[in-house]
Amino acid sequence: MTVRPIVITGEPVLHRRAEPVEKFDDDLRGLVTDMFETMDAAHGVGLAAPQIGVGLRVFTWQMDNDDGVPARGVIVNPYVTATKPSVDEPDPHDEAEGCLSVPGESFPLKRGDRATVTGFDVDGGELSFEASGWFARCMQHEYDHLNGFLYVDRLNDRWGKKARKAVKNQGWGKPGFSWLPGVDPDPFGHDDDHDHEHDL
């Protein structure tokens, strides 16, 4: 079990489509174990394999939900479809997302209220469930990672401009940046008992 560095926006693996998992073997199980360890150390509610530099279609989650889905899980080679988000301005408080690969920042984004999720567990068994509310948002956020998108890529003009400025101010947007959960200072202030519900 290893906590792995989380790569930051600008690392190429975050900006390209991840490859399907072809073997459900011990290597995959080891990867998933490390992903859970890393997600927990980062106090995240979700983590996609590209965020630890692995370009495979896998993500984990840790989020209570009202959909009868286990609060802790992993899905391999997922397919996620969501309802269409409204065109209203996103609420800066209730709809602000964070991302472990854009550490310390959060911006509001409209997402679909519901999502249908299918895929496989770590042993190759089929998974299928419906997600709603913030759990649906989490599923969409992590699925985006597998397709080479970060949530900041989906922001409207107003918030997208602010996000690009924040990334530029940090010097990100190019390869070579990462942070190590449990070692580096927590960028979202979880050590200060901060509410981390929205950090994906």
Side-chain angles (χ1 to χ4, degrees), residues 97-193:
E97 284 187 29
C99 179
L100 299 174
S101 291
V102 192
E105 304 292 340
S106 63
F107 300 97
L109 174 65
K110 282 288 184 187
R111 294 271 194 190
D113 291 332
R114 301 193 65 83
T116 300
V117 184
T118 59
F120 302 90
D121 64 23
V122 73
D123 297 313
E126 291 187 6
L127 290 176
S128 179
F129 56 85
E130 300 290 322
S132 63
W134 265 92
F135 188 47
R137 181 182 289 268
C138 176
M139 296 297 101
Q140 294 168 74
H141 180 113
E142 301 308 332
Y143 187 62
D144 273 352
H145 275 302
L146 305 185
N147 294 320
F149 296 101
L150 277 64
Y151 86 103
V152 291
D153 298 325
R154 296 196 179 278
L155 300 174
N156 66 19
D157 289 345
R158 174 190 175 194
W159 295 107
K161 186 175 182 179
K162 291 179 181 292
R164 288 190 294 275
K165 183 176 180 180
V167 167
K168 184 178 179 180
N169 287 344
Q170 292 284 357
W172 301 331
K174 54 191 175 185
F177 289 93
S178 65
W179 66 283
L180 185 59
V183 175
D184 293 329
D186 192 297
F188 288 100
H190 299 126
D191 300 329
D192 303 324
D193 202 28

Side-chain angles (χ1 to χ4, degrees), residues 63-87:
M63 179 179 275
D64 291 333
N65 59 82
D66 298 321
D67 304 299
V69 180
R72 186 175 179 85
V74 57
I75 191 162
V76 181
N77 296 341
Y79 184 66
V80 177
T81 57
T83 55
K84 194 172 182 178
S86 79
V87 295

